[in-house]
Amino acid sequence: ERKADFFACDLKTYTWTEMSCQGTPQGPRYFHSCCLYGNKMYAYGGYDGLERFADMYAYDFKTNNWSEVDCTNGDRPSGRSSLVAQVYENSLYIFGGFTGIHVLNDLYNISLEPVSVPPPAC
């Protein structure tokens, strides 16, 4: 049975606690990848036994709220499991993975902060 539960481990006491979750959590999956940036944890992709996902969700530790991240602008990674994800500066990098048929060797960059464009000079 696949679950979408979410736990935290207190590293001082080695005690597990189920996290309170609100909002729109991702469905049950495994072989996804998670990274921390600021006060959020980002989860990309994964597999539920039938489908490999091309979606991204963010969990906000301050509000205990899950939300789906719109990463449809630009070139988006295909659905995949067993991928590697890492944060560098303001971007989440997705590398490789498995489509269920092919092992991937591609690299994507997803900006975690909006790009600010200065107003035109008058």
Side-chain angles (χ1 to χ4, degrees), residues 4-40:
D5 48 4
F6 186 37
F7 286 82
C9 182
D10 182 322
L11 296 178
K12 292 180 183 173
T13 64
Y14 297 105
T15 304
W16 287 95
T17 304
E18 188 164 7
M19 299 294 289
S20 169
C21 296
Q22 301 169 17
T24 308
Q26 60 188 2
R29 63 189 64 203
Y30 56 101
F31 296 132
H32 56 284
S33 193
C34 296
C35 289
L36 299 174
Y37 179 74
N39 64 322
K40 293 183 180 179

PDB file of all heavy atoms in Angstrom, residues 4-40:
ATOM      1  N   ALA A   4       0.692   8.658   1.404  1.00  0.00           N
ATOM      2  CA  ALA A   4       1.128  10.041   1.219  1.00  0.00           C
ATOM      3  C   ALA A   4       1.323  10.691   2.586  1.00  0.00           C
ATOM      4  O   ALA A   4       1.129  11.883   2.740  1.00  0.00           O
ATOM      5  CB  ALA A   4       0.104  10.818   0.392  1.00  0.00           C
ATOM      6  N   ASP A   5       1.714   9.892   3.576  1.00  0.00           N
ATOM      7  CA  ASP A   5       1.917  10.442   4.906  1.00  0.00           C
ATOM      8  C   ASP A   5       3.252  11.176   4.985  1.00  0.00           C
ATOM      9  O   ASP A   5       4.114  11.025   4.123  1.00  0.00           O
ATOM     10  CB  ASP A   5       1.807   9.366   5.980  1.00  0.00           C
ATOM     11  CG  ASP A   5       2.608   8.111   5.663  1.00  0.00           C
ATOM     12  OD1 ASP A   5       3.314   8.085   4.640  1.00  0.00           O
ATOM     13  OD2 ASP A   5       2.532   7.163   6.444  1.00  0.00           O
ATOM     14  N   PHE A   6       3.422  11.987   6.015  1.00  0.00           N
ATOM     15  CA  PHE A   6       4.580  12.876   6.111  1.00  0.00           C
ATOM     16  C   PHE A   6       5.012  12.934   7.571  1.00  0.00           C
ATOM     17  O   PHE A   6       4.233  13.318   8.437  1.00  0.00           O
ATOM     18  CB  PHE A   6       4.172  14.247   5.579  1.00  0.00           C
ATOM     19  CG  PHE A   6       5.284  15.252   5.479  1.00  0.00           C
ATOM     20  CD1 PHE A   6       6.555  14.897   5.108  1.00  0.00           C
ATOM     21  CD2 PHE A   6       5.032  16.583   5.758  1.00  0.00           C
ATOM     22  CE1 PHE A   6       7.577  15.831   5.001  1.00  0.00           C
ATOM     23  CE2 PHE A   6       6.036  17.532   5.658  1.00  0.00           C
ATOM     24  CZ  PHE A   6       7.298  17.156   5.280  1.00  0.00           C
ATOM     25  N   PHE A   7       6.256  12.540   7.833  1.00  0.00           N
ATOM     26  CA  PHE A   7       6.767  12.476   9.196  1.00  0.00           C
ATOM     27  C   PHE A   7       8.036  13.313   9.334  1.00  0.00           C
ATOM     28  O   PHE A   7       8.763  13.521   8.365  1.00  0.00           O
ATOM     29  CB  PHE A   7       7.101  11.030   9.568  1.00  0.00           C
ATOM     30  CG  PHE A   7       5.904  10.173   9.816  1.00  0.00           C
ATOM     31  CD1 PHE A   7       5.216   9.587   8.767  1.00  0.00           C
ATOM     32  CD2 PHE A   7       5.455   9.949  11.102  1.00  0.00           C
ATOM     33  CE1 PHE A   7       4.112   8.801   8.983  1.00  0.00           C
ATOM     34  CE2 PHE A   7       4.348   9.154  11.339  1.00  0.00           C
ATOM     35  CZ  PHE A   7       3.672   8.578  10.275  1.00  0.00           C
ATOM     36  N   ALA A   8       8.304  13.746  10.560  1.00  0.00           N
ATOM     37  CA  ALA A   8       9.549  14.444  10.895  1.00  0.00           C
ATOM     38  C   ALA A   8      10.220  13.672  12.034  1.00  0.00           C
ATOM     39  O   ALA A   8       9.548  13.143  12.917  1.00  0.00           O
ATOM     40  CB  ALA A   8       9.266  15.872  11.330  1.00  0.00           C
ATOM     41  N   CYS A   9      11.539  13.634  11.990  1.00  0.00           N
ATOM     42  CA  CYS A   9      12.302  12.977  13.047  1.00  0.00           C
ATOM     43  C   CYS A   9      13.066  14.041  13.829  1.00  0.00           C
ATOM     44  O   CYS A   9      13.849  14.803  13.251  1.00  0.00           O
ATOM     45  CB  CYS A   9      13.274  11.954  12.461  1.00  0.00           C
ATOM     46  SG  CYS A   9      14.218  11.073  13.727  1.00  0.00           S
ATOM     47  N   ASP A  10      12.842  14.096  15.136  1.00  0.00           N
ATOM     48  CA  ASP A  10      13.606  14.992  16.014  1.00  0.00           C
ATOM     49  C   ASP A  10      14.973  14.349  16.215  1.00  0.00           C
ATOM     50  O   ASP A  10      15.090  13.270  16.806  1.00  0.00           O
ATOM     51  CB  ASP A  10      12.879  15.156  17.347  1.00  0.00           C
ATOM     52  CG  ASP A  10      13.578  16.115  18.286  1.00  0.00           C
ATOM     53  OD1 ASP A  10      14.835  16.117  18.330  1.00  0.00           O
ATOM     54  OD2 ASP A  10      12.874  16.854  18.981  1.00  0.00           O
ATOM     55  N   LEU A  11      16.024  14.986  15.716  1.00  0.00           N
ATOM     56  CA  LEU A  11      17.357  14.381  15.739  1.00  0.00           C
ATOM     57  C   LEU A  11      18.017  14.429  17.120  1.00  0.00           C
ATOM     58  O   LEU A  11      19.068  13.817  17.312  1.00  0.00           O
ATOM     59  CB  LEU A  11      18.248  15.047  14.691  1.00  0.00           C
ATOM     60  CG  LEU A  11      17.776  14.834  13.248  1.00  0.00           C
ATOM     61  CD1 LEU A  11      18.699  15.562  12.277  1.00  0.00           C
ATOM     62  CD2 LEU A  11      17.683  13.356  12.901  1.00  0.00           C
ATOM     63  N   LYS A  12      17.413  15.116  18.075  1.00  0.00           N
ATOM     64  CA  LYS A  12      17.920  15.093  19.454  1.00  0.00           C
ATOM     65  C   LYS A  12      17.382  13.887  20.215  1.00  0.00           C
ATOM     66  O   LYS A  12      18.090  13.293  21.016  1.00  0.00           O
ATOM     67  CB  LYS A  12      17.537  16.385  20.179  1.00  0.00           C
ATOM     68  CG  LYS A  12      18.241  17.606  19.641  1.00  0.00           C
ATOM     69  CD  LYS A  12      17.828  18.851  20.387  1.00  0.00           C
ATOM     70  CE  LYS A  12      18.492  20.067  19.758  1.00  0.00           C
ATOM     71  NZ  LYS A  12      17.995  21.315  20.343  1.00  0.00           N
ATOM     72  N   THR A  13      16.112  13.542  19.957  1.00  0.00           N
ATOM     73  CA  THR A  13      15.476  12.447  20.695  1.00  0.00           C
ATOM     74  C   THR A  13      15.219  11.219  19.829  1.00  0.00           C
ATOM     75  O   THR A  13      14.814  10.184  20.344  1.00  0.00           O
ATOM     76  CB  THR A  13      14.124  12.918  21.271  1.00  0.00           C
ATOM     77  OG1 THR A  13      13.249  13.240  20.180  1.00  0.00           O
ATOM     78  CG2 THR A  13      14.302  14.122  22.180  1.00  0.00           C
ATOM     79  N   TYR A  14      15.438  11.352  18.523  1.00  0.00           N
ATOM     80  CA  TYR A  14      15.140  10.288  17.562  1.00  0.00           C
ATOM     81  C   TYR A  14      13.690   9.814  17.689  1.00  0.00           C
ATOM     82  O   TYR A  14      13.392   8.635  17.659  1.00  0.00           O
ATOM     83  CB  TYR A  14      16.125   9.119  17.695  1.00  0.00           C
ATOM     84  CG  TYR A  14      17.528   9.539  17.381  1.00  0.00           C
ATOM     85  CD1 TYR A  14      18.468   9.728  18.388  1.00  0.00           C
ATOM     86  CD2 TYR A  14      17.911   9.813  16.069  1.00  0.00           C
ATOM     87  CE1 TYR A  14      19.757  10.154  18.092  1.00  0.00           C
ATOM     88  CE2 TYR A  14      19.194  10.234  15.767  1.00  0.00           C
ATOM     89  CZ  TYR A  14      20.101  10.409  16.788  1.00  0.00           C
ATOM     90  OH  TYR A  14      21.360  10.836  16.501  1.00  0.00           O
ATOM     91  N   THR A  15      12.804  10.793  17.814  1.00  0.00           N
ATOM     92  CA  THR A  15      11.375  10.537  17.920  1.00  0.00           C
ATOM     93  C   THR A  15      10.696  10.995  16.640  1.00  0.00           C
ATOM     94  O   THR A  15      10.923  12.104  16.165  1.00  0.00           O
ATOM     95  CB  THR A  15      10.779  11.318  19.111  1.00  0.00           C
ATOM     96  OG1 THR A  15      11.499  10.971  20.289  1.00  0.00           O
ATOM     97  CG2 THR A  15       9.306  11.000  19.286  1.00  0.00           C
ATOM     98  N   TRP A  16       9.845  10.131  16.087  1.00  0.00           N
ATOM     99  CA  TRP A  16       9.103  10.453  14.869  1.00  0.00           C
ATOM    100  C   TRP A  16       7.751  11.056  15.227  1.00  0.00           C
ATOM    101  O   TRP A  16       7.077  10.594  16.143  1.00  0.00           O
ATOM    102  CB  TRP A  16       8.873   9.203  14.028  1.00  0.00           C
ATOM    103  CG  TRP A  16      10.111   8.717  13.351  1.00  0.00           C
ATOM    104  CD1 TRP A  16      10.972   7.766  13.806  1.00  0.00           C
ATOM    105  CD2 TRP A  16      10.636   9.183  12.120  1.00  0.00           C
ATOM    106  NE1 TRP A  16      11.992   7.599  12.917  1.00  0.00           N
ATOM    107  CE2 TRP A  16      11.815   8.465  11.857  1.00  0.00           C
ATOM    108  CE3 TRP A  16      10.231  10.137  11.195  1.00  0.00           C
ATOM    109  CZ2 TRP A  16      12.587   8.649  10.730  1.00  0.00           C
ATOM    110  CZ3 TRP A  16      10.990  10.335  10.067  1.00  0.00           C
ATOM    111  CH2 TRP A  16      12.155   9.599   9.837  1.00  0.00           C
ATOM    112  N   THR A  17       7.364  12.085  14.468  1.00  0.00           N
ATOM    113  CA  THR A  17       6.068  12.735  14.640  1.00  0.00           C
ATOM    114  C   THR A  17       5.436  12.919  13.269  1.00  0.00           C
ATOM    115  O   THR A  17       6.101  13.385  12.343  1.00  0.00           O
ATOM    116  CB  THR A  17       6.237  14.128  15.290  1.00  0.00           C
ATOM    117  OG1 THR A  17       6.943  13.981  16.515  1.00  0.00           O
ATOM    118  CG2 THR A  17       4.895  14.785  15.536  1.00  0.00           C
ATOM    119  N   GLU A  18       4.158  12.552  13.139  1.00  0.00           N
ATOM    120  CA  GLU A  18       3.462  12.800  11.885  1.00  0.00           C
ATOM    121  C   GLU A  18       3.158  14.286  11.781  1.00  0.00           C
ATOM    122  O   GLU A  18       2.675  14.900  12.720  1.00  0.00           O
ATOM    123  CB  GLU A  18       2.180  11.986  11.785  1.00  0.00           C
ATOM    124  CG  GLU A  18       1.552  12.076  10.412  1.00  0.00           C
ATOM    125  CD  GLU A  18       0.519  11.003  10.135  1.00  0.00           C
ATOM    126  OE1 GLU A  18       0.170  10.245  11.051  1.00  0.00           O
ATOM    127  OE2 GLU A  18       0.084  10.928   8.972  1.00  0.00           O
ATOM    128  N   MET A  19       3.484  14.861  10.626  1.00  0.00           N
ATOM    129  CA  MET A  19       3.308  16.298  10.414  1.00  0.00           C
ATOM    130  C   MET A  19       1.839  16.607  10.111  1.00  0.00           C
ATOM    131  O   MET A  19       1.178  15.852   9.401  1.00  0.00           O
ATOM    132  CB  MET A  19       4.166  16.771   9.239  1.00  0.00           C
ATOM    133  CG  MET A  19       5.648  16.567   9.430  1.00  0.00           C
ATOM    134  SD  MET A  19       6.332  17.573  10.738  1.00  0.00           S
ATOM    135  CE  MET A  19       6.237  19.190   9.985  1.00  0.00           C
ATOM    136  N   SER A  20       1.400  17.733  10.642  1.00  0.00           N
ATOM    137  CA  SER A  20       0.077  18.241  10.319  1.00  0.00           C
ATOM    138  C   SER A  20       0.134  18.811   8.909  1.00  0.00           C
ATOM    139  O   SER A  20       1.030  19.589   8.584  1.00  0.00           O
ATOM    140  CB  SER A  20      -0.294  19.339  11.314  1.00  0.00           C
ATOM    141  OG  SER A  20      -1.434  20.030  10.892  1.00  0.00           O
ATOM    142  N   CYS A  21      -0.785  18.400   8.066  1.00  0.00           N
ATOM    143  CA  CYS A  21      -0.757  18.852   6.680  1.00  0.00           C
ATOM    144  C   CYS A  21      -2.095  19.444   6.283  1.00  0.00           C
ATOM    145  O   CYS A  21      -3.142  18.867   6.548  1.00  0.00           O
ATOM    146  CB  CYS A  21      -0.433  17.690   5.743  1.00  0.00           C
ATOM    147  SG  CYS A  21       1.204  16.994   5.994  1.00  0.00           S
ATOM    148  N   GLN A  22      -2.021  20.579   5.629  1.00  0.00           N
ATOM    149  CA  GLN A  22      -3.195  21.237   5.072  1.00  0.00           C
ATOM    150  C   GLN A  22      -2.929  21.477   3.593  1.00  0.00           C
ATOM    151  O   GLN A  22      -1.857  21.213   3.096  1.00  0.00           O
ATOM    152  CB  GLN A  22      -3.442  22.554   5.792  1.00  0.00           C
ATOM    153  CG  GLN A  22      -3.655  22.405   7.287  1.00  0.00           C
ATOM    154  CD  GLN A  22      -3.638  23.737   8.001  1.00  0.00           C
ATOM    155  OE1 GLN A  22      -3.782  24.774   7.388  1.00  0.00           O
ATOM    156  NE2 GLN A  22      -3.456  23.701   9.298  1.00  0.00           N
ATOM    157  N   GLY A  23      -3.932  22.002   2.913  1.00  0.00           N
ATOM    158  CA  GLY A  23      -3.739  22.345   1.507  1.00  0.00           C
ATOM    159  C   GLY A  23      -3.943  21.158   0.595  1.00  0.00           C
ATOM    160  O   GLY A  23      -4.755  20.280   0.848  1.00  0.00           O
ATOM    161  N   THR A  24      -3.148  21.133  -0.486  1.00  0.00           N
ATOM    162  CA  THR A  24      -3.267  20.109  -1.521  1.00  0.00           C
ATOM    163  C   THR A  24      -1.994  19.274  -1.566  1.00  0.00           C
ATOM    164  O   THR A  24      -1.046  19.617  -2.268  1.00  0.00           O
ATOM    165  CB  THR A  24      -3.488  20.784  -2.897  1.00  0.00           C
ATOM    166  OG1 THR A  24      -4.572  21.696  -2.796  1.00  0.00           O
ATOM    167  CG2 THR A  24      -3.779  19.753  -3.970  1.00  0.00           C
ATOM    168  N   PRO A  25      -1.948  18.182  -0.791  1.00  0.00           N
ATOM    169  CA  PRO A  25      -0.736  17.350  -0.829  1.00  0.00           C
ATOM    170  C   PRO A  25      -0.679  16.512  -2.102  1.00  0.00           C
ATOM    171  O   PRO A  25      -1.698  16.264  -2.736  1.00  0.00           O
ATOM    172  CB  PRO A  25      -0.884  16.463   0.406  1.00  0.00           C
ATOM    173  CG  PRO A  25      -2.352  16.370   0.625  1.00  0.00           C
ATOM    174  CD  PRO A  25      -2.934  17.682   0.141  1.00  0.00           C
ATOM    175  N   GLN A  26       0.515  16.097  -2.444  1.00  0.00           N
ATOM    176  CA  GLN A  26       0.667  15.189  -3.580  1.00  0.00           C
ATOM    177  C   GLN A  26       0.082  13.837  -3.205  1.00  0.00           C
ATOM    178  O   GLN A  26      -0.051  13.513  -2.031  1.00  0.00           O
ATOM    179  CB  GLN A  26       2.129  15.065  -3.943  1.00  0.00           C
ATOM    180  CG  GLN A  26       3.008  14.533  -2.831  1.00  0.00           C
ATOM    181  CD  GLN A  26       4.466  14.623  -3.179  1.00  0.00           C
ATOM    182  OE1 GLN A  26       4.840  15.107  -4.217  1.00  0.00           O
ATOM    183  NE2 GLN A  26       5.312  14.139  -2.305  1.00  0.00           N
ATOM    184  N   GLY A  27      -0.253  13.056  -4.217  1.00  0.00           N
ATOM    185  CA  GLY A  27      -0.772  11.726  -3.978  1.00  0.00           C
ATOM    186  C   GLY A  27       0.343  10.769  -3.567  1.00  0.00           C
ATOM    187  O   GLY A  27       1.527  11.111  -3.641  1.00  0.00           O
ATOM    188  N   PRO A  28      -0.027   9.569  -3.144  1.00  0.00           N
ATOM    189  CA  PRO A  28       0.980   8.574  -2.754  1.00  0.00           C
ATOM    190  C   PRO A  28       1.953   8.302  -3.898  1.00  0.00           C
ATOM    191  O   PRO A  28       1.554   8.208  -5.057  1.00  0.00           O
ATOM    192  CB  PRO A  28       0.147   7.331  -2.442  1.00  0.00           C
ATOM    193  CG  PRO A  28      -1.219   7.846  -2.148  1.00  0.00           C
ATOM    194  CD  PRO A  28      -1.382   9.067  -3.001  1.00  0.00           C
ATOM    195  N   ARG A  29       3.239   8.184  -3.564  1.00  0.00           N
ATOM    196  CA  ARG A  29       4.282   7.939  -4.565  1.00  0.00           C
ATOM    197  C   ARG A  29       5.572   7.532  -3.881  1.00  0.00           C
ATOM    198  O   ARG A  29       5.743   7.719  -2.688  1.00  0.00           O
ATOM    199  CB  ARG A  29       4.517   9.175  -5.424  1.00  0.00           C
ATOM    200  CG  ARG A  29       5.035  10.359  -4.635  1.00  0.00           C
ATOM    201  CD  ARG A  29       5.074  11.646  -5.420  1.00  0.00           C
ATOM    202  NE  ARG A  29       3.746  12.059  -5.798  1.00  0.00           N
ATOM    203  CZ  ARG A  29       3.478  12.855  -6.823  1.00  0.00           C
ATOM    204  NH1 ARG A  29       4.435  13.347  -7.554  1.00  0.00           N
ATOM    205  NH2 ARG A  29       2.234  13.181  -7.127  1.00  0.00           N
ATOM    206  N   TYR A  30       6.467   7.013  -4.660  1.00  0.00           N
ATOM    207  CA  TYR A  30       7.818   6.714  -4.190  1.00  0.00           C
ATOM    208  C   TYR A  30       8.785   6.962  -5.335  1.00  0.00           C
ATOM    209  O   TYR A  30       8.382   7.257  -6.457  1.00  0.00           O
ATOM    210  CB  TYR A  30       7.923   5.285  -3.641  1.00  0.00           C
ATOM    211  CG  TYR A  30       7.511   4.175  -4.577  1.00  0.00           C
ATOM    212  CD1 TYR A  30       8.472   3.438  -5.252  1.00  0.00           C
ATOM    213  CD2 TYR A  30       6.179   3.853  -4.762  1.00  0.00           C
ATOM    214  CE1 TYR A  30       8.110   2.408  -6.100  1.00  0.00           C
ATOM    215  CE2 TYR A  30       5.803   2.815  -5.611  1.00  0.00           C
ATOM    216  CZ  TYR A  30       6.774   2.098  -6.273  1.00  0.00           C
ATOM    217  OH  TYR A  30       6.411   1.073  -7.108  1.00  0.00           O
ATOM    218  N   PHE A  31      10.087   6.876  -5.055  1.00  0.00           N
ATOM    219  CA  PHE A  31      11.143   7.187  -6.022  1.00  0.00           C
ATOM    220  C   PHE A  31      11.046   8.625  -6.529  1.00  0.00           C
ATOM    221  O   PHE A  31      11.432   8.931  -7.657  1.00  0.00           O
ATOM    222  CB  PHE A  31      11.161   6.213  -7.205  1.00  0.00           C
ATOM    223  CG  PHE A  31      11.478   4.793  -6.828  1.00  0.00           C
ATOM    224  CD1 PHE A  31      10.697   3.746  -7.289  1.00  0.00           C
ATOM    225  CD2 PHE A  31      12.554   4.505  -6.010  1.00  0.00           C
ATOM    226  CE1 PHE A  31      10.996   2.438  -6.956  1.00  0.00           C
ATOM    227  CE2 PHE A  31      12.852   3.208  -5.664  1.00  0.00           C
ATOM    228  CZ  PHE A  31      12.069   2.173  -6.141  1.00  0.00           C
ATOM    229  N   HIS A  32      10.521   9.539  -5.699  1.00  0.00           N
ATOM    230  CA  HIS A  32      10.516  10.973  -5.999  1.00  0.00           C
ATOM    231  C   HIS A  32      11.776  11.580  -5.399  1.00  0.00           C
ATOM    232  O   HIS A  32      12.596  10.871  -4.815  1.00  0.00           O
ATOM    233  CB  HIS A  32       9.252  11.630  -5.429  1.00  0.00           C
ATOM    234  CG  HIS A  32       9.080  11.415  -3.967  1.00  0.00           C
ATOM    235  ND1 HIS A  32       8.644  10.210  -3.450  1.00  0.00           N
ATOM    236  CD2 HIS A  32       9.302  12.215  -2.904  1.00  0.00           C
ATOM    237  CE1 HIS A  32       8.604  10.287  -2.133  1.00  0.00           C
ATOM    238  NE2 HIS A  32       8.998  11.492  -1.772  1.00  0.00           N
ATOM    239  N   SER A  33      11.930  12.874  -5.522  1.00  0.00           N
ATOM    240  CA  SER A  33      13.088  13.549  -4.942  1.00  0.00           C
ATOM    241  C   SER A  33      12.624  14.806  -4.228  1.00  0.00           C
ATOM    242  O   SER A  33      11.720  15.501  -4.696  1.00  0.00           O
ATOM    243  CB  SER A  33      14.096  13.903  -6.034  1.00  0.00           C
ATOM    244  OG  SER A  33      15.316  14.278  -5.455  1.00  0.00           O
ATOM    245  N   CYS A  34      13.232  15.091  -3.084  1.00  0.00           N
ATOM    246  CA  CYS A  34      12.883  16.268  -2.278  1.00  0.00           C
ATOM    247  C   CYS A  34      14.120  17.109  -1.994  1.00  0.00           C
ATOM    248  O   CYS A  34      15.214  16.578  -1.830  1.00  0.00           O
ATOM    249  CB  CYS A  34      12.284  15.847  -0.946  1.00  0.00           C
ATOM    250  SG  CYS A  34      10.732  14.978  -1.066  1.00  0.00           S
ATOM    251  N   CYS A  35      13.910  18.427  -1.933  1.00  0.00           N
ATOM    252  CA  CYS A  35      14.977  19.371  -1.592  1.00  0.00           C
ATOM    253  C   CYS A  35      14.398  20.478  -0.722  1.00  0.00           C
ATOM    254  O   CYS A  35      13.222  20.827  -0.853  1.00  0.00           O
ATOM    255  CB  CYS A  35      15.564  20.012  -2.844  1.00  0.00           C
ATOM    256  SG  CYS A  35      16.544  18.897  -3.832  1.00  0.00           S
ATOM    257  N   LEU A  36      15.239  21.042   0.121  1.00  0.00           N
ATOM    258  CA  LEU A  36      14.846  22.162   0.966  1.00  0.00           C
ATOM    259  C   LEU A  36      15.347  23.467   0.374  1.00  0.00           C
ATOM    260  O   LEU A  36      16.482  23.543  -0.116  1.00  0.00           O
ATOM    261  CB  LEU A  36      15.419  22.003   2.370  1.00  0.00           C
ATOM    262  CG  LEU A  36      14.964  20.773   3.133  1.00  0.00           C
ATOM    263  CD1 LEU A  36      15.717  20.674   4.449  1.00  0.00           C
ATOM    264  CD2 LEU A  36      13.469  20.798   3.372  1.00  0.00           C
ATOM    265  N   TYR A  37      14.483  24.493   0.443  1.00  0.00           N
ATOM    266  CA  TYR A  37      14.869  25.839   0.020  1.00  0.00           C
ATOM    267  C   TYR A  37      14.068  26.811   0.873  1.00  0.00           C
ATOM    268  O   TYR A  37      12.829  26.783   0.851  1.00  0.00           O
ATOM    269  CB  TYR A  37      14.577  26.055  -1.464  1.00  0.00           C
ATOM    270  CG  TYR A  37      14.946  27.442  -1.940  1.00  0.00           C
ATOM    271  CD1 TYR A  37      16.284  27.792  -2.119  1.00  0.00           C
ATOM    272  CD2 TYR A  37      13.972  28.395  -2.183  1.00  0.00           C
ATOM    273  CE1 TYR A  37      16.627  29.054  -2.547  1.00  0.00           C
ATOM    274  CE2 TYR A  37      14.312  29.660  -2.615  1.00  0.00           C
ATOM    275  CZ  TYR A  37      15.645  29.986  -2.791  1.00  0.00           C
ATOM    276  OH  TYR A  37      15.987  31.247  -3.204  1.00  0.00           O
ATOM    277  N   GLY A  38      14.759  27.646   1.633  1.00  0.00           N
ATOM    278  CA  GLY A  38      14.078  28.567   2.536  1.00  0.00           C
ATOM    279  C   GLY A  38      13.275  27.779   3.560  1.00  0.00           C
ATOM    280  O   GLY A  38      13.791  26.836   4.168  1.00  0.00           O
ATOM    281  N   ASN A  39      12.017  28.131   3.737  1.00  0.00           N
ATOM    282  CA  ASN A  39      11.169  27.430   4.698  1.00  0.00           C
ATOM    283  C   ASN A  39      10.284  26.373   4.021  1.00  0.00           C
ATOM    284  O   ASN A  39       9.282  25.964   4.584  1.00  0.00           O
ATOM    285  CB  ASN A  39      10.290  28.423   5.466  1.00  0.00           C
ATOM    286  CG  ASN A  39       9.314  29.153   4.559  1.00  0.00           C
ATOM    287  OD1 ASN A  39       9.648  29.495   3.430  1.00  0.00           O
ATOM    288  ND2 ASN A  39       8.120  29.382   5.044  1.00  0.00           N
ATOM    289  N   LYS A  40      10.684  25.932   2.822  1.00  0.00           N
ATOM    290  CA  LYS A  40       9.867  24.968   2.083  1.00  0.00           C
ATOM    291  C   LYS A  40      10.673  23.740   1.675  1.00  0.00           C
ATOM    292  O   LYS A  40      11.881  23.800   1.496  1.00  0.00           O
ATOM    293  CB  LYS A  40       9.291  25.609   0.818  1.00  0.00           C
ATOM    294  CG  LYS A  40       8.287  26.707   1.133  1.00  0.00           C
ATOM    295  CD  LYS A  40       7.696  27.273  -0.128  1.00  0.00           C
ATOM    296  CE  LYS A  40       6.701  28.372   0.218  1.00  0.00           C
ATOM    297  NZ  LYS A  40       6.123  28.967  -0.993  1.00  0.00           N
TER     298      LYS A  40
END
